[in-house]
């Protein structure tokens, strides 16, 4: 497809950075404090970058304004600094890229990669009720006349028109990542009906722009990968490699989450734990160090090899780690 010249150049420059050294990112949303699971994923990706002599970038995924909480971003930055997880370069905020996302959406629309969808959440929920949450859009609006303007007072969402076939990517810890486009991914929303740029579009664009060579993130985001790979392919660029790491789970096997109020640094610090104790606890949960170890993030990195980190992450990656 034909992108505006300046955008094509930006993407090409970003993808070119992948060949200059290892680059990964940590991308929290400012919807509340980081819990222990978030902090452990941050530590893993930070260790990956430091052990590979690369860069660890920090991006704040703050596009969903109604869900953002006042002071959450500052708290995230303070937590990372307190733990000694230093990032490279300035903090990137997705909210600063709204104009760029709009340009990308316009280019995709002109190239015929998008179509308007007027299906309501209630309609999709009713259709999927017998089988639980609808994972793949059934394509009701795919072949309808494309009416992009308001209708009955509502604007449409914009969906990616996905071609048939398998979406593949390089996945660490397995031969490759694969999702069948029509049955596992479907025509995902790239711009919501309220005008907010959707997660898949913003994430795919920023991985390209930032020159991310490998995305290190939690196992729960593995199902999102095919959609993001598809967006990058539509833009004419290859996807980075991916490493989906085990989530920290509680005694019942449930993953920690902000919604469940999983304990963050404030709670740990109120119990008298300092940064070396927290780093030791996070590392011990991965069997990288003995229980009750105390060490800084820098000391942990100095004591590890990338092979040791890989060995603890991938053999049991589907099961996660119990508290």
């Amino acid at each position: 497809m034909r992108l505006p010249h300046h955008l094509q150049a930006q993407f090409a420059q970003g993808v070119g950075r992948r060949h200059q050294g290892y680059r990964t990112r940590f991308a929290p949303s400012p919807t509340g404090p980081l819990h222990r699971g978030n902090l452990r994923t941050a530590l893993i990706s930070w260790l990956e970058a430091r052990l590979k002599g690369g860069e660890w970038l920090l991006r704040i995924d703050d596009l969903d304004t109604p869900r953002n909480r006042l002071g959450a971003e500052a708290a995230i930055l303070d937590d990372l600094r307190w733990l000694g997880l230093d990032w490279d370069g300035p903090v990137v905020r997705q909210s600063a890229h709204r104009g760029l996302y709009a340009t990308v959406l316009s280019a995709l629309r002109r190239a015929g990669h998008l179509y308007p969808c007027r299906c309501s959440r209630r309609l999709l929920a009713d259709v999927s009720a017998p089988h639980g949450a609808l994972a793949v859009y059934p394509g009701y609006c795919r072949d309808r006349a494309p009416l992009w303007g308001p209708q009955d007072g509502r604007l449409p969402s914009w969906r990616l028109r996905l071609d048939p076939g398998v979406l593949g990517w390089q996945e660490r810890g397995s031969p490759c990542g694969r999702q069948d486009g029509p049955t596992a991914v479907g025509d995902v929303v790239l711009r919501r009906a309220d005008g907010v740029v959707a997660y898949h579009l913003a994430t795919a664009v920023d991985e390209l722009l930032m020159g991310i060579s490998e995305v290190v993130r939690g196992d729960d985001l593995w199902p999102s990968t095919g959609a993001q790979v598809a967006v990058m392919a539509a833009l004419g660029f290859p996807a980075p490699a991916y490493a989906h790491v085990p989530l920290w789970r509680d005694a019942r096997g449930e993953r920690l989450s902000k919604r469940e109020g999983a304990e963050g640094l404030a709670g740990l610090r109120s119990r008298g734990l300092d940064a070396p104790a927290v780093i030791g606890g996070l590392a011990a949960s991965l069997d990288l160090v003995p229980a009750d170890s105390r060490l800084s993030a820098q000391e942990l990195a100095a004591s590890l090899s990338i092979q040791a980190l890989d060995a603890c992450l991938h053999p049991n990656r589907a099961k996660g780690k119990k508290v």
Side-chain angles (χ1 to χ4, degrees):
M1 65 173 286
R2 296 179 62 181
L3 288 169
H5 178 74
H6 73 283
L7 200 53
Q8 180 77 23
Q10 283 181 276
F11 285 146
Q13 184 181 36
V15 172
R17 292 196 191 104
R18 296 177 186 170
H19 306 295
Q20 299 171 11
Y22 184 85
R23 290 167 67 89
T24 191
R25 89 296 186 276
F26 180 57
S29 298
T31 55
L34 299 175
H35 58 65
R36 285 175 294 161
N38 302 139
L39 294 170
R40 192 174 78 166
T41 299
L43 176 62
I44 291 168
S45 63
W46 181 88
L47 286 169
E48 292 269 6
R50 297 299 173 247
L51 291 173
K52 293 181 178 179
E55 293 182 276
W56 191 64
L57 309 179
L58 180 59
R59 187 178 77 220
I60 303 296
D61 288 1
D62 60 348
L63 281 181
D64 199 351
T65 305
R67 296 184 63 238
N68 294 343
R69 287 177 54 181
L70 186 65
E73 179 184 326
I76 288 169
L77 302 187
D78 287 345
D79 284 354
L80 296 175
R81 290 191 189 101
W82 188 79
L83 287 174
L85 302 183
D86 54 320
W87 56 89
D88 299 297
V91 176
V92 176
R93 295 175 182 83
Q94 286 192 327
S95 56
H97 292 169
R98 286 194 176 97
L100 187 146
Y101 301 143
T103 301
V104 170
L105 283 166
S106 295
L108 288 170
R109 178 175 159 180
R110 288 195 303 271
H113 289 297
L114 304 180
Y115 64 89
C117 173
R118 298 184 184 277
C119 294
S120 66
R121 291 184 180 180
R122 180 174 180 178
L123 169 64
L124 297 179
D126 288 345
V127 169
S128 65
H131 308 290
L134 185 70
V136 177
Y137 176 65
Y140 295 137
C141 297
R142 184 182 177 102
D143 297 319
R144 293 182 178 178
L147 301 174
W148 296 95
Q151 191 175 65
D152 298 327
R154 293 184 68 250
L155 287 168
S157 58
W158 295 11
R159 289 188 180 272
L160 177 67
R161 187 183 299 275
L162 195 64
D163 293 330
V166 173
L167 296 161
W169 63 90
Q170 182 182 343
E171 178 76 41
R172 185 135 54 93
S174 64
C176 66
R178 291 168 60 88
Q179 285 182 296
D180 181 70
T183 62
V185 179
D187 295 347
V188 294
V189 170
L190 298 189
R191 198 199 77 158
R192 297 181 345 200
D194 60 4
V196 174
V197 172
Y199 166 72
H200 293 308
L201 187 282
T203 299
V205 166
D206 282 338
E207 312 297 27
L208 293 175
L209 285 177
M210 296 172 71
I212 301 303
S213 58
E214 183 175 63
V215 174
V216 180
R217 60 187 183 184
D219 256 340
D220 58 323
L221 291 172
W222 190 94
S224 300
T225 311
Q228 292 158 22
V229 169
V231 172
M232 295 182 215
L235 294 173
F237 292 95
Y242 290 84
H244 290 93
V245 302
L247 301 179
W248 196 338
R249 300 181 183 274
D250 63 22
R252 298 171 300 171
E254 300 293 329
R255 69 186 181 96
L256 306 183
S257 69
K258 294 177 184 177
R259 185 176 300 174
E260 299 299 327
E263 186 178 35
L265 274 189
L268 297 174
R269 293 171 74 170
S270 71
R271 292 197 277 120
L273 276 68
D274 59 6
V278 174
I279 291 292
L282 296 175
S285 76
L286 294 162
D287 297 325
L288 289 173
V289 299
D292 299 322
S293 293
R294 289 176 47 82
L295 72 174
S296 69
Q298 290 72 21
E299 289 169 336
L300 177 61
S303 70
L304 288 178
S305 67
I306 192 62
Q307 292 79 13
L309 184 61
D310 279 343
C312 81
L313 292 177
H314 298 301
N316 301 308
R317 59 190 295 275
K319 296 179 181 178
K321 186 72 181 177
K322 306 290 186 186
V323 171

